[in-house]
Amino acid sequence: MPVQNIPEIFIAKKKLLPDLLVHDYRMTEDVVKNKANLSVNMFSFLQTGQKHIHFANVSVAVNEKQSILIKHGNCLFTELLNQEQVYYCKLFFFSQKILDDFLTKHKFSFAGSNGSDKKDAPFFVIANDEYINRFISSLAAVTQLISTTGQHLLAVKFEEIMLYLVCKYGQPFIRYLNALAKSDQQSLLKKTVENNVVTALKIGKIAFLCNMSLSTFKRAFTKEYNENPGKWLQKKRLQKALELLQDNKQKPSEIFREFGYKNLSNFSTAFKNEFGISPREVPST
């Protein structure tokens, strides 16, 4: 599946990307692990359904009682319907310039905010409350206005929600904003790979999360680990599967999918080739 460039896919061709943009996003079918490139930062105010996001080194799930602020960059989106049979969220995009202007204007509020939470996590989960619900409703009215007036009001609404979240969450949110403003030029390969050992992600999607083409990823991986990524990941995943089976925590039929195998037979064959016994024959420790 091709990469979705967001929010560019929501904008008419030849139209410049504004510093602030609101988009109502609806779906009537589940979407699993779509590749997305966020060119700007984004609030996702979820109204119905569930959202799962897989980043380079961490994943997160939110429901309609939560909103989430997401850092620009590559990620995988899974969006699931609830009983309403529709997925709906209001997206509020903002450029790095808008964020920098906000931090500069309110720098007095950020004294003593050195350090970071969760090692600069690419997201911040927000618990919806009455104020946030009213804010979401107000965005709908603003987006109906003509472009120039609407942009001015969106700037006011952006400052409003940011100041409210500073009041609601204090220093953890302030530290997140400061981390969000930092440039990110460090290679994510090692961190991304080692945080996705025990997942079903294929090499292509891990490469995507590293912001690399598959061929570039394979070369960089081999240089870092002195081994082909497919073989390395298979060994690591089978070793983890062995540990789970030895601890009697799960059965082979319960774990093969989470290690990237389409069926139990393929998993059993790979397991036996690696350890000389079938998964069912693993003795308890």
Side-chain angles (χ1 to χ4, degrees), residues 42-46 51-53 55 59-63 66-71 77 90-92 122-128 176:
M42 178 184 80
F43 280 104
S44 177
F45 299 107
L46 190 56
K51 183 191 292 284
H52 301 258
I53 313 168
F55 301 94
S59 59
V60 62
V62 293
N63 56 40
Q66 300 167 302
S67 297
I68 186 168
L69 175 52
I70 306 171
K71 181 180 180 180
F77 279 122
K90 190 174 285 290
L91 305 176
F92 190 5
F123 65 88
F124 193 96
V125 176
I126 300 159
N128 289 345
Y176 175 77

Side-chain angles (χ1 to χ4, degrees), residues 91-154:
L91 305 176
F92 190 5
F93 301 95
F94 59 95
S95 68
Q96 202 68 20
K97 177 183 179 299
I98 291 292
L99 175 62
D100 292 342
D101 289 347
F102 175 81
L103 292 174
T104 300
K105 179 178 180 180
H106 297 282
K107 59 185 177 182
F108 65 91
S109 302
F110 299 90
S113 62
N114 293 330
S116 63
D117 283 352
K118 298 182 180 179
K119 297 183 179 179
D120 299 340
F123 65 88
F124 193 96
V125 176
I126 300 159
N128 289 345
D129 55 23
E130 184 177 355
Y131 189 100
I132 291 174
N133 290 334
R134 289 182 177 178
F135 173 82
I136 296 169
S137 298
S138 72
L139 284 179
V142 171
T143 55
Q144 300 301 313
L145 300 173
I146 59 175
S147 58
T148 303
T149 305
Q151 279 292 301
H152 288 318
L153 278 174
L154 279 181

Side-chain angles (χ1 to χ4, degrees), residues 197-202 237 255-263 266-267:
V197 168
V198 190
T199 69
L201 289 186
K202 301 296 184 183
R237 288 172 174 174
I255 66 172
F256 69 88
R257 287 190 180 88
E258 68 183 89
F259 291 105
Y261 290 89
K262 292 183 178 180
N263 55 62
N266 288 347
F267 171 70

Side-chain angles (χ1 to χ4, degrees), residues 26-93:
R26 290 180 172 86
M27 292 190 321
T28 56
E29 295 181 355
D30 291 343
V31 171
V32 178
K33 291 181 180 174
N34 258 6
K35 292 180 180 179
N37 171 257
L38 292 178
S39 61
V40 294
N41 306 306
M42 178 184 80
F43 280 104
S44 177
F45 299 107
L46 190 56
Q47 304 295 284
T48 60
Q50 302 173 51
K51 183 191 292 284
H52 301 258
I53 313 168
H54 201 116
F55 301 94
N57 62 328
V58 68
S59 59
V60 62
V62 293
N63 56 40
E64 56 201 33
K65 295 181 180 179
Q66 300 167 302
S67 297
I68 186 168
L69 175 52
I70 306 171
K71 181 180 180 180
H72 65 88
N74 287 358
C75 56
L76 304 173
F77 279 122
T78 294
E79 293 160 320
L80 306 173
L81 311 182
N82 280 347
Q83 293 179 350
E84 294 86 354
Q85 296 303 307
V86 64
Y87 173 94
Y88 170 49
C89 64
K90 190 174 285 290
L91 305 176
F92 190 5
F93 301 95

